[in-house]
Amino acid sequence: MSLLTNVMDHSLDDGYAEAAARKRAAGDGGLPKTLRAKLGLAAGLVLAALVVTVGAAQARVAAPVVAKEREELIDRIDQETELADGLADAVDELRDDVNARQREALKESGGSEQGELVGILSGAVEVHGPGVKLVVDDAKQSGGGGSGDPRETSGFSDTGRVRDRDMQRVVNGLWESGAEAVSINGQRLTALSAIRAAGDAILVDNKPLVPPYTVLAVGDGERLSTRFQNSADGLYLDALQDSYGIRTAISVEGDLRLPAAPSVTVRTAQPYTEKTEKGTS
């Protein structure tokens, strides 16, 4: 207690107190005493005040200019956005027109039944019928569990996020189990469709999808569900659920409706002919 009392009573070191006393006795204060020193201090204060005043005036003058430039930039962004939206609407209208013409051409070629079958298999027409509804969603919390690693060496981290490779296996398993048409979140899949990743997002034909991923597959519902769940890809999905907490739900539906694919244009393939071979040799 005595030590604490001494510290409280003598918070300032004795050396500092003696130095301050000597300074007061010598008449050496903190302010300058000579005229030259006082003038120098006054000039410094005036210069500092001038700098602050000029800076404030410049900021006040520049503020309207910055605000005007900001408004002009916002107007340009709004105009470009409106133009882009108009172009997107025009593209959608042209795509719908092309799809309608393709469907008409498929109906007219090779008889109605054959044309309808080609349209269904190619994804060019809307389809409906019995099938399977499969919902795949991320785990409630990221992080793995379980002793196995169903993703093995595919390069995925130990998380509860659904990956593009997972959806690829799900879709391929449904095709192999007898699905006649498949869509993910309303995006119809065809032989030209690609399921890829951009960061953590899953892209289907370059369109980002948001979980949960609802996969609709038209086919013999009971048979399709049983074959998929017993297939290697169905067991893979079960392993993801056990190891990573990924949520899945599968049900047999009496009537599913799948839209037509946005585009079924083949841009790289061409019929093989002798002329083509000579041209490329």
Side-chain angles (χ1 to χ4, degrees):
M1 292 297 295
S2 60
L3 177 61
L4 294 177
T5 304
N6 183 52
V7 171
M8 293 293 295
D9 294 339
H10 303 86
S11 58
L12 182 64
D13 188 85
D14 295 337
Y16 288 107
E18 293 176 0
R22 288 196 303 270
K23 199 171 185 180
R24 286 195 298 269
D28 187 9
L31 295 176
K33 296 295 187 292
T34 63
L35 179 60
R36 179 178 296 179
K38 292 181 179 179
L39 292 177
L41 177 61
L45 294 175
V46 171
L47 181 61
L50 181 62
V51 170
V52 173
T53 303
V54 171
Q58 289 180 347
R60 181 176 298 179
V61 172
V65 177
V66 174
K68 183 178 180 181
E69 292 178 352
R70 182 174 180 275
E71 292 178 358
E72 291 177 353
L73 181 59
I74 293 175
D75 293 338
R76 288 181 57 187
I77 293 174
D78 292 338
Q79 293 175 1
E80 296 297 332
T81 302
E82 185 178 356
L83 178 61
D85 292 340
L87 293 175
D89 293 339
V91 169
D92 291 337
E93 293 178 0
L94 293 174
R95 182 181 290 116
D96 293 339
D97 182 55
V98 171
N99 292 336
R101 293 176 184 269
Q102 287 178 340
R103 288 191 289 269
E104 291 296 328
L106 288 171
K107 291 180 180 179
E108 296 175 359
S109 62
S112 59
E113 294 184 359
Q114 183 179 359
E116 184 178 358
L117 177 60
V118 172
I120 293 174
L121 296 179
S122 64
V125 297
E126 180 181 347
V127 298
H128 72 92
V132 167
K133 177 181 178 181
L134 175 62
V135 180
V136 183
D137 197 0
D138 296 336
K140 291 184 178 180
Q141 295 179 351
S142 62
S147 58
D149 187 1
R151 287 168 174 165
E152 295 179 349
T153 59
S154 56
F156 293 112
S157 59
D158 186 21
T159 68
R161 300 291 299 270
V162 179
R163 304 296 186 179
D164 57 335
R165 180 68 60 84
D166 303 332
M167 296 309 300
Q168 290 173 6
R169 294 202 58 168
V170 168
V171 171
N172 289 335
L174 289 171
W175 286 122
E176 187 178 358
S177 299
E180 300 173 6
V182 179
S183 69
I184 303 178
N185 286 13
Q187 185 73 15
R188 180 74 173 274
L189 301 180
T190 69
L192 303 176
S193 297
I195 301 177
R196 294 290 183 266
D200 288 333
I202 296 179
L203 307 181
V204 174
D205 292 335
N206 293 325
K207 291 188 176 181
L209 303 183
V210 178
Y213 307 103
T214 302
V215 184
L216 303 181
V218 172
D220 186 346
E222 293 290 347
R223 183 169 178 267
L224 179 59
S225 176
T226 301
R227 291 188 61 180
F228 173 74
Q229 293 184 71
N230 294 332
S231 66
D233 298 312
L235 297 176
Y236 169 86
L237 195 59
D238 291 339
L240 291 183
Q241 186 174 4
D242 295 338
S243 299
Y244 300 99
I246 288 177
R247 293 168 288 176
T248 64
I250 187 169
S251 60
V252 177
E253 303 292 334
D255 187 26
L256 298 174
R257 292 188 175 272
L258 277 64
S263 176
V264 292
T265 304
V266 180
R267 295 182 173 85
T268 57
Q270 58 182 352
Y272 173 81
T273 62
E274 295 182 359
K275 184 177 181 181
T276 303
E277 183 180 7
K278 294 178 180 180
T280 57
S281 61

